[in-house]
Amino acid sequence: MAQPERSFMRGTLALSIAAFINRILGFISGMFVARVLGAEGIGLLMMAHPLVPLVITITELGLPVAISKLVAEAQAQGNRNKIRRILHVSLVVTGALSVTLTAVSLLGSHWIASLLLSDKRAYYAMIAITPIAPIVAVSAVLRGYFRGIQQMRTIAASDVLEHTVQIACVLALVHVLMPYGVAYAAAGAMAASVLSEATGLLFLFASYKLRGEQKTAGETWAAHLKQGKGTLSELLKIGLPTTGQGVVQSLYGAFQPLLISTSLAMAGISTALATKQFGLLAGYAFPLLFMPSFITQSLSTALVPAIGEASANKNGLLMHERMNQALRLGLLIGAPATVILFVWATPLTTLIYGSPEAGMLLKILAPIFFLHYFDAPLHAILLGLGRASATLWNFTAATAFKAVSIFVFGSQFGIVGVAFGIGVGIVMQTLLNFFSISGSIGIYVPIQPYIKVGICMTFMALCGQVIMDFMTSELGLSQLWSVIGSIALALLLYFVALLTSNTLHWKITRHTIGIRW
């Protein structure tokens, strides 16, 4: 295996491990905050939070993705001067935007609170989180730089450090401020996010300094900015479509609850029942469906600069090798996840949420959601190829189609129709991205591994169902242990089937023993 490929996969592995650790840390932090603040305090947090993602989306201008691609290309060409120019231009643009928007938010905080906050006590939490925008903006530029040079372990370490500090600050601030009232405690929880982001930024800045980038004679900030018009144009060519996609996603996210409730009302479902069904879908089914995708998201982060570097070197063979590698990893992760979420749908929602009725929605969406595990890599490939505008139009078209499908199917078939409508959107977005890549450079996918994995999936599903029934009826185990035991044995059988069918095989070298496709 070539060195660049090893670097790509090691970066993906580092980000995946960090993402897994961060999910655990986030769960612990969220559980503590929920227990201490209660429903009232969580409500204040939720009221104060929605404005932040929009501000961050605007201040970043999609530059982190653009930076990672352009830095990877510049590094492939050995152009260190351009790398520093990209950093300087990006820092000036995002810094100026974030400071301006933060100042406007602070000066107009009372007006914003009166307009957006139904509970005035959320004002303190809103003020506490506002300073995060400049910190996130500068941090995003440095993250883009480290992605571009494919130093994913630095980003992974920063993420873990950031989440660790956040837990410590949340524990301390909420404990100290709770005696003064739930509003101040909620503000403390928000302030903890700011402190953790600042810690992550300091770590990234120190890591950048330790790299000891050598400057050329006469190289200054002013010189870079004078020559930065072309660089800014390159950055915005990728960044603006990414920002547009973020805005479309935010607007659709705000509009979706109204769309679903309206379609359910037209199906003759009462408001109270419609709210409950929406909660089953968004609060119970979606978190389980999205849980395995942290690996494909990590893969996508590493894939953008990897494709960008191969494209800059005009190495078509390496591009297609990385594309196939990414799609196969999506297949390897998505296949058992889909089987588990389909076969064990009702037991999982019963054990985790105490809601067996959510299992039906999970079972409907699980097979369709299989394509979602390919969508993130496909999206990253398009960005790596510099086709950010295609990702924007594909996402917009798929979102519009999804909205229409939800309304049409939901008004006819209720919450089941809503689930199918969401599935239609997932299918369309994945196919549009696939055809966009195929139209650009072509996709050459060996079909045999996919057929083999499909057979192994079927084998895993059948064996898993039989094992669970045996553990429950014959061994008399509780539902918890039947689910855990049957999933573990089914995964083992799936893995053995992959090895037996030669879909995966052992790779033994002098220094390592591993598995490869």
Side-chain angles (χ1 to χ4, degrees), residues 399-411 417-418 420-422 424-425:
T399 300
F401 201 77
K402 176 168 65 174
V404 173
S405 299
I406 288 173
F407 183 79
V408 172
F409 291 129
S411 60
V418 170
F420 274 115
I422 293 171
V424 167

Side-chain angles (χ1 to χ4, degrees), residues 320 323-324 441-446:
H320 282 93
M323 286 165 53
N324 283 332
I441 60 172
I443 295 183
Y444 309 103
V445 180

Side-chain angles (χ1 to χ4, degrees), residues 231-381:
T231 301
L232 179 61
S233 177
E234 286 183 277
L235 288 167
L236 293 181
K237 184 180 178 182
I238 300 171
L240 288 180
T242 304
T243 302
Q245 182 173 331
V247 172
V248 171
Q249 189 170 12
S250 298
L251 291 175
Y252 174 76
F255 174 67
Q256 181 178 264
L258 177 62
L259 174 67
I260 291 176
S261 60
T262 302
S263 65
L264 292 178
M266 293 184 67
I269 298 172
S270 67
T271 302
L273 182 56
T275 302
K276 180 183 177 182
Q277 289 184 343
F278 177 71
L280 293 175
L281 182 64
Y284 296 168
F286 280 174
L288 290 174
L289 290 164
F290 281 108
M291 187 176 293
S293 63
F294 72 90
I295 297 178
T296 54
Q297 291 296 332
S298 300
L299 169 67
S300 302
T301 300
L303 193 56
V304 174
I307 294 292
E309 181 185 9
S311 177
N313 289 329
K314 301 188 185 307
N315 191 338
L317 179 61
L318 182 59
M319 268 196 295
H320 282 93
E321 282 180 358
R322 285 175 172 166
M323 286 165 53
N324 283 332
Q325 200 172 19
L327 293 175
R328 286 185 177 187
L329 186 57
L331 175 68
L332 186 65
I333 299 302
T338 299
V339 172
I340 290 170
L341 294 175
F342 179 81
V343 174
W344 288 270
T346 301
L348 284 173
T349 57
T350 302
L351 287 171
I352 297 173
Y353 305 115
S355 178
E357 60 268 33
M360 176 191 66
L361 299 175
L362 184 59
K363 189 178 283 284
I364 291 171
L365 281 170
I368 306 172
F369 221 79
F370 178 59
L371 288 177
H372 174 76
Y373 303 112
F374 298 95
D375 181 60
L378 291 173
H379 178 84
I381 291 167

